[in-house]
Amino acid sequence: MAAGHHGQPPDGEDGRRAVVGGEQDRLLPIANVGRIMKQILPPNAKISKEAKETMQECVSEFIGFVTGEASDKCHKEKRKTVNGDDLCWAFGALGFDDYVDPMRGYLHKYREVEGDRAAAAASSSRGGGDHHPASASTSTSPAAAAAPGHFMFGAAAIDRPDNNTSSARPF
């Protein structure tokens, strides 16, 4: 029996690597991948299982690639925790310069939202603060503020073409 990619068992009959041990654990959930893919497509577009699985492999590999670079930096600096700044650095170090500024913007917005959330939690636990449920945000992510017709990446929405008129991509 010959070894496959990175010591994995050989491909199955369908051409995909066999799932062994923690193989599925390293992949993003396919439902999440499909949902993200569907956001950029016209409403009536369909996505094949093969396309979802291919994208699932690619994005999972990409995340591992960038995180590994950030982890190496932390190891050299004798730190155990990879943080958002390390990931931004890794994007640049790996040549993904176009991602650095949007990621820094997202990280800044994320930290703002998390700081506001922590302050609100501390205030409510002390019984203080003027909390008005009608004005409270139910968003769990800074990206949730993106308007329909926009793809949120970082702190700014990126215009995308109308799903019914164009297939050109702005990025």
Coordinates of all heavy atoms in Angstrom, one line a residue, residues 13-70:
E13 N -11.5 5.7 -4.3 CA -12.0 5.6 -5.7 C -12.5 6.9 -6.2 O -12.4 7.1 -7.4 CB -13.1 4.5 -5.7 CG -12.6 3.1 -5.5 CD -13.7 2.1 -5.5 OE1 -14.7 2.3 -6.3 OE2 -13.6 1.1 -4.9
D14 N -13.0 7.8 -5.4 CA -13.6 9.0 -5.9 C -12.5 10.1 -6.1 O -12.8 11.2 -6.4 CB -14.6 9.6 -4.9 CG -14.1 9.9 -3.5 OD1 -12.9 9.6 -3.3 OD2 -14.9 10.5 -2.7
G15 N -11.2 9.8 -5.8 CA -10.1 10.7 -6.0 C -9.8 11.6 -4.8 O -8.9 12.3 -4.8
R16 N -10.6 11.5 -3.8 CA -10.4 12.3 -2.6 C -9.6 11.4 -1.6 O -9.8 10.2 -1.5 CB -11.7 12.8 -2.0 CG -12.4 13.7 -3.0 CD -13.6 14.4 -2.3 NE -13.3 15.0 -1.1 CZ -12.7 16.2 -0.9 NH1 -12.3 16.9 -2.0 NH2 -12.5 16.8 0.2
R17 N -8.9 12.1 -0.7 CA -8.1 11.3 0.3 C -9.1 10.7 1.3 O -10.1 11.2 1.6 CB -7.2 12.3 1.1 CG -6.0 12.7 0.3 CD -4.9 13.2 1.2 NE -5.3 14.2 2.1 CZ -5.2 15.5 1.9 NH1 -4.8 15.9 0.7 NH2 -5.6 16.4 2.8
A18 N -8.7 9.5 1.7 CA -9.6 8.8 2.7 C -9.5 9.6 4.0 O -8.5 10.1 4.4 CB -9.0 7.4 2.9
V19 N -10.6 9.6 4.7 CA -10.7 10.2 6.0 C -10.2 9.3 7.1 O -10.8 8.2 7.3 CB -12.2 10.7 6.3 CG1 -12.2 11.3 7.7 CG2 -12.6 11.7 5.2
V20 N -9.1 9.6 7.7 CA -8.6 8.8 8.7 C -8.3 9.6 10.0 O -7.7 10.7 9.9 CB -7.2 8.1 8.2 CG1 -6.6 7.3 9.3 CG2 -7.5 7.3 7.0
G21 N -8.6 9.1 11.1 CA -8.3 9.8 12.4 C -8.8 11.2 12.4 O -10.0 11.4 12.3
G22 N -7.9 12.2 12.5 CA -8.3 13.6 12.6 C -8.5 14.4 11.3 O -8.5 15.6 11.3
E23 N -8.5 13.7 10.2 CA -8.6 14.4 8.9 C -9.7 15.4 8.9 O -9.5 16.5 8.5 CB -8.7 13.4 7.8 CG -8.8 14.0 6.4 CD -7.5 14.6 5.8 OE1 -6.5 14.5 6.4 OE2 -7.6 15.2 4.7
Q24 N -10.9 15.0 9.3 CA -12.1 15.9 9.3 C -11.9 17.0 10.3 O -12.4 18.1 10.1 CB -13.4 15.1 9.6 CG -13.9 14.4 8.4 CD -14.2 15.3 7.2 OE1 -13.5 15.3 6.2 NE2 -15.3 16.0 7.3
D25 N -11.2 16.8 11.3 CA -10.9 17.8 12.4 C -10.2 19.0 11.8 O -10.3 20.1 12.4 CB -10.2 17.2 13.6 CG -11.1 16.2 14.3 OD1 -12.3 16.2 14.1 OD2 -10.5 15.4 15.1
R26 N -9.4 18.8 10.8 CA -8.6 19.9 10.3 C -9.3 20.7 9.3 O -8.8 21.8 8.8 CB -7.2 19.4 9.8 CG -7.3 18.7 8.4 CD -6.0 18.5 7.8 NE -6.1 18.1 6.4 CZ -6.4 18.9 5.4 NH1 -6.4 20.1 5.6 NH2 -6.5 18.4 4.2
L27 N -10.5 20.3 8.8 CA -11.3 21.0 7.8 C -12.3 21.8 8.4 O -13.0 21.4 9.4 CB -11.9 19.9 6.9 CG -10.9 19.0 6.1 CD1 -11.7 18.0 5.3 CD2 -10.0 19.8 5.2
L28 N -12.6 23.0 7.8 CA -13.7 23.8 8.2 C -15.0 23.0 7.9 O -15.0 22.2 6.9 CB -13.8 25.1 7.4 CG -12.7 26.1 7.8 CD1 -12.8 27.3 6.8 CD2 -12.9 26.6 9.2
P29 N -16.1 23.2 8.7 CA -17.3 22.5 8.4 C -17.8 22.9 7.0 O -17.9 24.0 6.6 CB -18.3 23.0 9.4 CG -17.4 23.5 10.5 CD -16.2 24.0 9.9
I30 N -18.2 21.8 6.2 CA -18.6 22.1 4.8 C -19.8 22.9 4.7 O -19.9 23.7 3.7 CB -18.7 20.7 4.1 CG1 -18.7 21.0 2.6 CG2 -20.0 20.0 4.5 CD1 -18.1 19.8 1.8
A31 N -20.7 22.9 5.7 CA -21.9 23.7 5.6 C -21.5 25.2 5.7 O -22.1 26.0 5.0 CB -22.9 23.4 6.8
N32 N -20.5 25.5 6.5 CA -20.1 26.9 6.6 C -19.4 27.3 5.3 O -19.6 28.5 4.8 CB -19.1 27.0 7.8 CG -19.7 26.8 9.1 OD1 -20.9 26.5 9.2 ND2 -18.9 27.0 10.2
V33 N -18.6 26.5 4.7 CA -17.9 26.8 3.5 C -19.0 27.0 2.4 O -18.9 28.0 1.6 CB -16.9 25.7 3.0 CG1 -16.4 25.9 1.7 CG2 -15.8 25.5 4.1
G34 N -19.9 26.2 2.3 CA -21.0 26.3 1.3 C -21.8 27.6 1.5 O -22.1 28.3 0.5
R35 N -22.1 28.0 2.7 CA -22.8 29.2 3.0 C -22.0 30.4 2.6 O -22.5 31.4 2.0 CB -23.1 29.3 4.5 CG -24.3 30.1 4.9 CD -24.7 30.0 6.4 NE -23.9 29.3 7.3 CZ -24.0 28.1 7.7 NH1 -25.0 27.3 7.3 NH2 -23.2 27.6 8.6
I36 N -20.7 30.4 2.8 CA -19.8 31.6 2.4 C -19.8 31.6 0.9 O -19.9 32.7 0.3 CB -18.4 31.4 3.0 CG1 -18.5 31.6 4.5 CG2 -17.5 32.4 2.4 CD1 -17.2 31.2 5.3
M37 N -19.7 30.5 0.2 CA -19.6 30.5 -1.2 C -20.9 31.0 -1.8 O -20.9 31.8 -2.8 CB -19.4 29.1 -1.7 CG -18.0 28.5 -1.4 SD -17.8 26.8 -1.9 CE -17.7 26.9 -3.7
K38 N -22.0 30.6 -1.2 CA -23.4 31.0 -1.7 C -23.6 32.5 -1.6 O -24.3 33.1 -2.5 CB -24.4 30.3 -0.9 CG -25.8 30.3 -1.6 CD -26.3 28.9 -1.7 CE -27.6 28.8 -2.3 NZ -27.6 28.8 -3.7
Q39 N -23.0 33.2 -0.6 CA -23.1 34.6 -0.4 C -22.7 35.4 -1.6 O -23.2 36.5 -1.9 CB -22.4 35.1 0.8 CG -23.0 34.7 2.1 CD -22.1 35.1 3.3 OE1 -21.0 35.6 3.2 NE2 -22.6 34.7 4.5
I40 N -21.7 35.0 -2.4 CA -21.2 35.7 -3.5 C -21.8 35.4 -4.8 O -21.6 36.1 -5.8 CB -19.6 35.6 -3.5 CG1 -19.0 36.7 -4.4 CG2 -19.2 34.2 -4.0 CD1 -18.9 38.0 -3.7
L41 N -22.6 34.3 -4.8 CA -23.2 33.9 -6.1 C -24.6 34.4 -6.3 O -25.3 34.8 -5.3 CB -23.2 32.3 -6.1 CG -21.9 31.6 -6.1 CD1 -22.1 30.1 -5.9 CD2 -21.1 31.9 -7.4
P42 N -25.1 34.4 -7.5 CA -26.5 34.8 -7.7 C -27.4 33.9 -7.0 O -27.1 32.7 -6.7 CB -26.7 34.6 -9.3 CG -25.3 34.6 -9.8 CD -24.4 34.1 -8.8
P43 N -28.6 34.4 -6.6 CA -29.5 33.6 -5.7 C -29.9 32.3 -6.3 O -30.1 31.3 -5.5 CB -30.7 34.5 -5.6 CG -30.3 35.9 -5.9 CD -29.1 35.7 -6.8
N44 N -30.0 32.1 -7.6 CA -30.4 30.9 -8.2 C -29.2 29.9 -8.5 O -29.5 28.8 -9.1 CB -31.2 31.1 -9.5 CG -30.4 31.9 -10.5 OD1 -29.4 32.5 -10.2 ND2 -30.9 31.9 -11.7
A45 N -28.0 30.3 -8.2 CA -26.8 29.5 -8.5 C -26.8 28.3 -7.6 O -27.2 28.3 -6.4 CB -25.6 30.3 -8.3
K46 N -26.3 27.2 -8.1 CA -26.1 25.9 -7.4 C -24.6 25.7 -7.2 O -23.8 26.1 -8.1 CB -26.7 24.8 -8.1 CG -28.2 24.9 -8.4 CD -29.0 24.5 -7.3 CE -30.5 24.5 -7.7 NZ -31.3 25.4 -7.0
I47 N -24.2 25.0 -6.2 CA -22.8 24.7 -6.0 C -22.7 23.1 -5.8 O -23.4 22.6 -4.9 CB -22.3 25.4 -4.7 CG1 -22.5 26.9 -4.8 CG2 -20.8 25.0 -4.5 CD1 -22.2 27.6 -3.5
S48 N -21.9 22.5 -6.6 CA -21.8 21.1 -6.5 C -21.1 20.7 -5.2 O -20.3 21.4 -4.6 CB -21.0 20.5 -7.7 OG -19.6 20.9 -7.6
K49 N -21.3 19.4 -4.8 CA -20.6 18.9 -3.6 C -19.1 18.9 -3.9 O -18.3 19.2 -3.0 CB -21.1 17.4 -3.4 CG -20.5 16.8 -2.2 CD -21.0 15.4 -2.0 CE -20.3 14.7 -0.8 NZ -20.6 13.3 -0.7
E50 N -18.7 18.6 -5.1 CA -17.3 18.6 -5.4 C -16.6 19.9 -5.2 O -15.5 20.1 -4.7 CB -17.1 18.1 -6.9 CG -15.6 18.1 -7.3 CD -15.4 17.9 -8.8 OE1 -16.3 18.4 -9.6 OE2 -14.5 17.2 -9.1
A51 N -17.4 21.0 -5.7 CA -16.9 22.4 -5.5 C -16.7 22.7 -4.1 O -15.7 23.3 -3.7 CB -17.8 23.3 -6.3
K52 N -17.7 22.4 -3.3 CA -17.7 22.7 -1.8 C -16.5 21.9 -1.2 O -15.8 22.5 -0.3 CB -19.0 22.3 -1.1 CG -20.1 23.2 -1.5 CD -21.4 22.7 -0.8 CE -22.6 23.3 -1.3 NZ -23.9 22.8 -0.8
E53 N -16.3 20.7 -1.5 CA -15.3 19.9 -0.9 C -13.9 20.4 -1.3 O -13.0 20.5 -0.5 CB -15.4 18.4 -1.3 CG -16.6 17.8 -0.6 CD -16.8 16.3 -1.0 OE1 -16.2 15.9 -2.1 OE2 -17.6 15.6 -0.4
T54 N -13.8 20.8 -2.6 CA -12.5 21.4 -3.1 C -12.2 22.7 -2.3 O -11.1 22.9 -1.9 CB -12.6 21.6 -4.6 OG1 -12.8 20.4 -5.2 CG2 -11.3 22.2 -5.1
M55 N -13.2 23.6 -2.2 CA -13.0 24.8 -1.5 C -12.7 24.6 0.0 O -11.8 25.2 0.6 CB -14.2 25.7 -1.6 CG -14.0 27.1 -1.1 SD -12.7 28.0 -1.8 CE -13.4 28.4 -3.4
Q56 N -13.4 23.6 0.6 CA -13.1 23.2 2.0 C -11.7 22.8 2.2 O -11.0 23.3 3.1 CB -14.0 22.1 2.3 CG -13.9 21.6 3.8 CD -14.7 20.3 4.0 OE1 -14.8 19.4 3.2 NE2 -15.3 20.2 5.2
E57 N -11.1 22.0 1.3 CA -9.7 21.6 1.4 C -8.8 22.9 1.2 O -7.8 23.0 2.0 CB -9.4 20.6 0.3 CG -9.9 19.2 0.5 CD -9.1 18.4 1.4 OE1 -7.9 18.7 1.7 OE2 -9.6 17.4 1.9
C58 N -9.1 23.7 0.2 CA -8.2 24.9 -0.1 C -8.2 25.9 1.1 O -7.1 26.3 1.5 CB -8.7 25.6 -1.3 SG -8.4 24.6 -2.8
V59 N -9.4 26.2 1.6 CA -9.4 27.2 2.7 C -8.8 26.7 4.0 O -8.1 27.4 4.7 CB -10.8 27.8 2.9 CG1 -11.3 28.5 1.7 CG2 -11.8 26.8 3.4
S60 N -9.0 25.4 4.2 CA -8.4 24.8 5.4 C -6.9 24.8 5.3 O -6.2 25.1 6.2 CB -9.0 23.4 5.6 OG -10.4 23.4 5.8
E61 N -6.4 24.4 4.1 CA -4.9 24.4 3.9 C -4.4 25.8 4.0 O -3.3 26.1 4.6 CB -4.6 23.9 2.5 CG -3.2 23.7 2.2 CD -2.5 22.5 3.0 OE1 -3.2 21.6 3.4 OE2 -1.3 22.6 3.2
F62 N -5.1 26.8 3.4 CA -4.6 28.2 3.5 C -4.6 28.7 4.9 O -3.6 29.3 5.4 CB -5.6 29.1 2.7 CG -5.2 30.6 2.7 CD1 -4.1 31.0 1.9 CD2 -5.9 31.5 3.4 CE1 -3.8 32.3 1.9 CE2 -5.6 32.8 3.4 CZ -4.5 33.3 2.7
I63 N -5.6 28.4 5.7 CA -5.6 28.8 7.1 C -4.4 28.1 7.9 O -3.7 28.8 8.6 CB -6.9 28.4 7.8 CG1 -8.0 29.3 7.3 CG2 -6.8 28.5 9.3 CD1 -9.4 28.8 7.7
G64 N -4.1 26.9 7.6 CA -3.0 26.2 8.2 C -1.7 26.8 7.8 O -0.8 26.9 8.6
F65 N -1.6 27.2 6.5 CA -0.3 27.8 6.0 C 0.0 29.1 6.7 O 1.1 29.3 7.2 CB -0.6 28.0 4.5 CG 0.6 28.5 3.7 CD1 1.9 27.9 3.7 CD2 0.4 29.7 2.9 CE1 2.9 28.5 3.0 CE2 1.5 30.2 2.2 CZ 2.7 29.6 2.3
V66 N -1.0 30.0 6.7 CA -0.8 31.3 7.4 C -0.6 31.1 8.9 O 0.3 31.7 9.4 CB -2.0 32.2 7.1 CG1 -1.9 33.5 7.9 CG2 -2.1 32.5 5.6
T67 N -1.4 30.3 9.5 CA -1.2 30.1 11.0 C 0.1 29.4 11.3 O 0.8 29.8 12.3 CB -2.4 29.2 11.5 OG1 -3.6 29.8 11.2 CG2 -2.3 29.0 13.0
G68 N 0.6 28.5 10.4 CA 1.9 27.9 10.7 C 3.0 28.9 10.6 O 4.0 28.9 11.4
E69 N 2.9 29.9 9.7 CA 4.0 30.9 9.6 C 3.9 31.8 10.9 O 5.0 32.2 11.4 CB 3.7 31.8 8.3 CG 4.8 32.8 8.1 CD 6.1 32.2 7.5 OE1 6.1 31.0 7.2 OE2 7.1 32.9 7.5
A70 N 2.7 32.2 11.3 CA 2.6 33.0 12.5 C 3.1 32.2 13.7 O 3.8 32.8 14.6 CB 1.1 33.4 12.7

